[in-house]
Each structure stands twice: as structure tokens, then as C-alpha cells.
Amino acid sequence: MEWVFALLFALVFLWYLTFTASRLDRLHHRVETSWASLDALLQRRAAIALEIAFIPSLDPAAAVVLTRSAYLAREAEMAERSEAEESLTNAIALIGESEDFHKEYPEISERLEVVTSKIRIAIDLHREAVATTKLQRSRPVVRFFRLAGRAPLPVVHPFEEVPL
Amino acid sequence: MRRKLRIGLVSPYGWDSPGGVQVHIRDLSKFLIANGHEVSVLAPVDDEDGIEEDFVVSAGKPVAIPYNGAVARVLFGPVAASRVRQWISQSDFDVLHIHEPAIPSLGLLACSIAEGPLVGTFHVAAQKFKVAFAIVPIVEPIVERLRARIAVSEVARETLKIHIETDAVVIPNGIGWDSFQGARPRLEWQLGKTIGFIGRFGEKRKGLSLLIDALPKIIESHPDLKVLIAGPGDPEEILKQVDPRLRTRLTFLGLLSEEEKRQFFKSIDLYVAPNIGGESFGIILAEAMATGVAILASDLSAFKYVLEDGKWGVHFEASNAEDLAVKASTLLSDPARLATLASMSSEGAKRFDWPVVAEKIMDVYDLVSGAGEKVVLASGNRSWNKLIRGRGE
């Protein structure tokens, strides 16, 4: 009689493992898609930053930081990318302090505003996806049976910690 | 007798954050004031109430921008730009001395806003210059406006030549040579044979790990060896990577005061500068020399300049722990040699003494301001200023 229970238990456990594995797969997918949309928004911000950098009345120091960060934002290497995005965030905040900027370039300022608020949400989504995935991956069952497979551990990039 | 000048100095980095450039500007200002010149320094300032110097004018709070691998506390943007404009138009300077005009901060701002007798000092030495193709076209025409360019070392001059294609005169950073004389050693820093190291040891380029790699070999011939490490940073980070048997050899002293620094140099047997790169000048070597201590430094061009190619100390091949170990052991086994090196090095630092260095800087001031021309706002900015004022009224 016991072997029936053992078999049943094994079956249930197997089902549980596959269930967890596919759940993890979904989570990884969520991390990837949330990063993809964040990435796209960041590229748009970089493009706007370049536009601002070409405004003739803008001071050259701001122009250098914006240009540099905008180009580095296309860099593939993540450590540098993150630095560039952080610079960009800080630089844009400094320029936004001036009321003249908003008055004189209402169109760019408006677009920047829109993209920034979208980035804010995208970062939240990405961070949330990463946090959930990491939490699930840290469970003993997942670690023991290597349910996450070869998927790299998702990370929150340092620039995402900087308030926009 | 020199003409008395009204001199404006621009600091790119936060006045109340630690850094060599700020120290240089502070000491230069004090020296200029002591010589009867009028000085005003424009700098980003975090805490305006905490500023002791009455010649410092705040341009606003700096922001942290990651730049070439380090985080720089800089300031720019429209608000800062209008402060710079105001400062220049109200001050009627004979000379405007801009520090780091190629770093995106107040220096570059001031350089683009002012016209007339402008002097620029370049401190940084960087082999790598990220996305130079995009930045240089912005920076180059602005740096061109400087009437005179100063580089603090040959390395800084090379950097300038390569990236912005402009030449500069080399005038080193200054030290107060007199204040380093007559320091007394501290007994607790003299137990056994001691090697000293000063710097932000957490930064890889400062080379502490190279020194630690070389230790086992030095200890073979000097079993009583101790390493004294001074400077800001977290000792735990270093210690956990170090072989447990070596840990007791390392003593971390934290950040030293100026007075303690002199005692430190005077107490140790050998000062080691194992830096592996990215050094523009090495003011700490000049200070060590001035105090009078035997020096073993890597053969970076910045250090070779300070030690005049081994005239005032010994070089080892940079990034070569083996060579470091051999040179250090040999030196430590030869007390007579150590004593000679220590007694003569002070002489070699005299060329960095403020009177010598500031004299050269004032020569440059005289050259650019010879015709009695004043620093004014560049024509483009004058109309901009009018526009803003017109709107404000």
C-alpha cells in the first residue's frame, strides 16, 4: 500500500518541480521584457539629451556631460552604461532646475518630462521583476534542483537606485 | 616689483570635498594674497557655512557625476552659468585662472563665458578618453580661448597634446616646503623595519595589492618588517583578501592630519609608492621628499618627473611585484643607503616649494595681462546677459 503513496507523492513532487521551473521561466521572461522596454526608453532619453546638448545657449559643461552620457548610453558594457545613465539623470536634473529652459524650449522640455515619467515606471517594473525572480531563485528547492537552469541571475543596475 | 593684480580662480570640484586640485587652489590663493594680490575663488560648495576661507564664493551645490572611473563632484547648468556670469562681470579681474577647463564643470563654463587674459591649468592625466570624438569638438574651441595653458606635469601635458591637440607649459603643483622641515618621528611607528604607504588604498591604481604581493619575499630577508598604511578607505576590504599570516604585518592608520603625515614620513624606514597608473603628478611623493625619507616608487612618468629619474629616490618597474620586492629588500638591508637617501631627498623637493612654483605662475599672469586688459564677458554672453536682465526688469 505504501508504494502507492510513495508513487503519488513522487508524481506530485515532479509536477511541483515542473510547475516551479515554468514559473521561474516566466519570471525570467518578465525581467527580460521589462528591461527591454526600459532600455528602449533610455535610448529615447539619450536621443533627447543629444538634442538638448546642441541648444546653442546651453553651457558647454552641460553639453559635454550630456553628449558623453548619450553616446555611452549606447555602450554594450553594463558597468559603463550604468555610469552614463546616472550622469545623464543628474545632468538633466541640473538643467531642469532652470525655469528659462522650460520657458524657452517647451517642446523638448515636454518630451523629456514624458519620457522621464515613463522611465520612472519602467525602472519600478524592472526592479520589481528582478526582486521577485531573485527571491524565487533563492529558495532551496530551486537551488537544489537547479530549476533556474543556465539563466543568469538578474540584477538591478546601480543607476536604477538614483531618484529621477 | 610686480604689479598687484585682481585674480579670479575657478575650482571645478566641490570646495569641501577632498582632492588635490582644491588643495592646490587654496594654497596658491593664500600665497597670492600674502603677496599683495586680490584673490577671489569661485567653487561649487556643499555647505556654505562650513567654509573657512573668506575669498571663496559659492556657485551652488555640486552634483556627483561618474567620470572616467571616479565620481567627480562638479557643477554646471543654466543656474551655475548665470552665477559665473555674475561673478565675472562684477569682479573686474586682471587675470582669470581656470582649473581643469576641459572637465565639464565650472572651469569649462567660465572658459566659455569669459574673454581676455585667461589662464588654464590642466591637472588630469588620462590615457583613455571615452567618446572623445563627441566631446572634443565641444571642448576644443573653448580651450582655445585660454591665453596660456599650464600642465602640472609632463603626463598631463601629453594628455593635452593627444586629446585636444594643444601644448602647455609645465608648472608643477606646489608644497609648503618649510612646513615639512624639522618633523619628529613617533616611537610607535618605528618598531622594527617599517615600510610606509599613503593613499586611497581601496583604489586599484594606487597599487597597495602589488605591495602586499611583494611582502612575502621582503619578509624572507627582513623578518621584523611592518607595513604602515595611511589614507581613507575600509581596511576590512583589503584584509579579507590578504593571506592570514600577513595580516599582522599590516597596520592601518586611517586618514592622517598634516602634522601626523610629517611624523609618519619621518618615522618610517622606506616610503613605497607602488602606483600602477593614472597618476598625473604625485604630490604625496613631493611631500615625502620634502620631509626627508628614502623613497621607492614605481617608474610611472609622473613619478620619474618628481624623483628626477632616480636622482632623489629609487624606481622599480611599475606593476612588477618581483622587482618591487628585490629593490625593497636591498634598500632595507643597507641602512647607510637609506640614511643618505633620506638626508638628501629634501633638497630635491625645493623646486616644488610655493615661492618657486608661484613665481612661475605669476610670470604667466604677467605675460597674459601685460597690456592691462581686463577679463570681460564674451560678446555672445553679454547679449545673453542683457536678454536675461531685460526680461527680469
Side-chain angles (χ1 to χ4, degrees):
Chain A
M1 206 50 212
E2 286 90 359
W3 66 270
V4 179
F5 281 112
L7 188 69
L8 219 63
F9 178 78
L11 280 174
V12 168
F13 189 68
L14 264 177
W15 171 83
Y16 174 72
L17 286 185
T18 51
F19 165 78
T20 313
S22 61
R23 182 173 160 202
L24 272 173
D25 188 49
R26 258 201 316 277
L27 280 172
H28 281 114
H29 187 68
R30 207 172 105 199
V31 170
E32 270 164 41
T33 48
S34 64
W35 169 249
S37 51
L38 174 57
D39 186 42
L41 285 168
L42 291 172
Q43 298 293 353
R44 262 167 64 190
R45 183 174 73 158
I48 297 175
L50 267 186
E51 265 181 71
I52 299 176
F54 285 121
I55 291 177
S57 65
L58 186 78
D59 70 90
V64 166
V65 173
L66 288 177
T67 316
R68 184 174 179 274
S69 313
Y71 277 104
L72 284 181
R74 295 174 192 172
E75 191 93 8
E77 215 226 305
M78 222 28 241
E80 257 163 29
R81 172 83 192 270
S82 186
E83 266 195 9
E85 298 296 354
E86 196 181 328
S87 305
L88 210 49
T89 303
N90 289 342
I92 287 173
L94 258 192
I95 290 160
E97 270 180 23
S98 142
E99 280 177 23
D100 288 341
F101 170 72
H102 300 292
K103 252 186 260 166
E104 272 172 65
Y105 301 95
E107 191 262 341
I108 295 186
S109 153
E110 162 87 29
R111 269 190 294 149
L112 188 64
E113 200 77 12
V114 171
V115 116
T116 306
S117 63
K118 280 187 186 161
I119 290 176
R120 226 173 263 141
I121 301 168
I123 285 180
D124 283 348
L125 292 180
H126 179 240
R127 289 180 63 151
E128 203 269 329
V130 171
T132 320
T133 312
K134 271 180 152 172
L135 186 75
Q136 288 304 321
R137 280 185 66 155
S138 67
R139 287 167 55 197
V141 187
V142 176
R143 298 233 302 259
F144 187 80
F145 291 98
R146 295 172 192 274
L147 295 182
R150 290 204 202 105
L153 191 69
V155 284
V156 170
H157 304 293
F159 77 91
E160 296 179 58
E161 320 272 349
V162 182
L164 277 173
Chain B
M1 199 56 205
R2 286 178 191 276
R3 277 190 308 139
K4 298 293 175 231
L5 300 172
R6 283 177 69 86
I7 300 160
L9 290 137
V10 181
S11 164
Y13 306 125
W15 191 255
D16 33 15
S17 37
V21 176
Q22 297 91 303
V23 171
H24 176 81
I25 297 172
R26 190 193 64 211
D27 292 350
L28 175 62
S29 308
K30 286 185 177 163
F31 193 86
L32 291 170
I33 290 170
N35 277 268
H37 298 291
E38 276 179 70
V39 175
S40 173
V41 176
L42 185 74
V45 171
D46 253 318
D47 172 22
E48 289 189 30
D49 299 330
I51 299 294
E52 292 164 19
E53 296 87 356
D54 54 359
F55 52 82
V56 176
V57 177
S58 166
K61 273 196 194 340
V63 288
I65 296 279
Y67 205 79
N68 286 343
V71 175
R73 307 207 26 90
V74 296
L75 182 60
F76 50 84
V79 179
S82 72
R83 294 257 178 95
V84 177
R85 250 179 237 117
Q86 213 181 17
W87 181 68
I88 291 173
S89 64
Q90 285 173 356
S91 304
D92 195 32
F93 291 125
D94 295 305
V95 176
L96 187 62
H97 187 173
I98 297 164
H99 289 263
E100 294 291 30
I103 297 277
S105 185
L106 287 184
L108 186 62
L109 263 180
C111 199
S112 71
I113 286 169
E115 212 171 61
L118 306 184
V119 178
T121 293
F122 296 81
H123 295 263
V124 82
Q127 296 92 338
K128 265 200 320 184
F129 208 64
K130 283 282 159 56
V131 290
F133 66 90
I135 298 173
V136 170
I138 307 178
V139 172
E140 206 170 7
I142 294 168
V143 171
E144 266 168 19
R145 310 161 77 120
L146 296 168
R147 297 261 174 96
R149 280 160 283 268
I150 299 171
V152 298
S153 64
E154 280 299 330
V155 203
R157 181 169 163 234
E158 280 305 310
T159 308
L160 207 56
K161 270 182 165 173
I162 296 166
H163 298 306
I164 325 186
E165 292 183 16
T166 171
D167 209 344
V169 286
V170 174
I171 301 180
N173 283 340
I175 55 169
W177 189 83
D178 287 336
S179 65
F180 287 91
Q181 305 312 306
R184 301 204 159 273
R186 268 213 218 176
L187 278 179
E188 72 257 38
W189 291 341
Q190 284 188 305
L191 305 171
K193 287 257 164 51
T194 48
I195 286 183
F197 172 100
I198 293 189
R200 290 186 294 269
F201 50 79
E203 279 180 30
K204 197 169 171 285
R205 66 189 182 98
K206 300 287 179 189
L208 179 61
S209 56
L210 191 77
L211 176 60
I212 291 172
D213 288 345
L215 275 188
K217 198 135 188 262
I218 311 177
I219 290 170
E220 272 175 32
S221 43
H222 302 280
D224 59 345
L225 186 80
K226 287 256 185 223
V227 182
L228 300 177
I229 299 157
D234 180 13
E236 292 301 318
E237 287 284 306
I238 302 289
L239 283 172
K240 73 180 181 213
Q241 296 161 20
V242 174
D243 184 338
R245 279 167 299 173
L246 287 177
R247 279 180 199 161
T248 52
R249 306 274 179 175
L250 309 179
T251 313
F252 289 87
L253 305 174
L255 196 60
L256 299 184
S257 71
E258 288 296 309
E259 181 59 32
E260 287 171 326
K261 196 158 75 181
R262 284 162 214 152
Q263 295 172 339
F264 176 86
F265 287 134
K266 210 68 206 168
S267 310
I268 56 180
D269 292 303
L270 180 66
Y271 181 75
V272 177
N275 305 43
I276 57 179
E279 254 353 276
S280 167
F281 183 72
I283 193 82
I284 194 81
L285 269 194
E287 292 179 345
M289 276 169 80
T291 321
V293 58
I295 295 169
L296 176 62
S298 54
D299 61 356
L300 302 176
S301 29
F303 289 174
K304 276 161 102 173
Y305 171 76
V306 176
L307 294 181
E308 287 192 89
D309 237 338
K311 193 172 165 195
W312 310 107
V314 180
H315 287 297
F316 69 93
E317 194 191 327
S319 303
N320 185 341
E322 181 70 26
D323 195 32
L324 169 58
V326 172
K327 297 262 165 73
S329 308
T330 322
L331 279 172
L332 288 170
S333 315
D334 190 350
R337 179 87 199 284
L338 286 179
T340 330
L341 281 171
S343 62
M344 65 177 216
S345 73
S346 175
E347 194 58 35
K350 273 193 177 155
R351 63 192 215 280
F352 304 121
D353 195 11
W354 268 116
V356 180
V357 171
E359 195 68 25
K360 289 187 190 163
I361 295 177
M362 286 190 280
D363 281 345
V364 174
Y365 289 173
D366 279 347
L367 274 177
V368 298
S369 70
E373 199 186 336
K374 295 279 186 180
V375 177
V376 292
L377 292 177
S379 44
N381 277 285
R382 276 199 295 269
S383 46
W384 218 88
N385 226 21
K386 247 181 243 158
L387 196 80
I388 296 230
R389 285 221 196 100
R391 212 187 296 143
E393 277 158 17

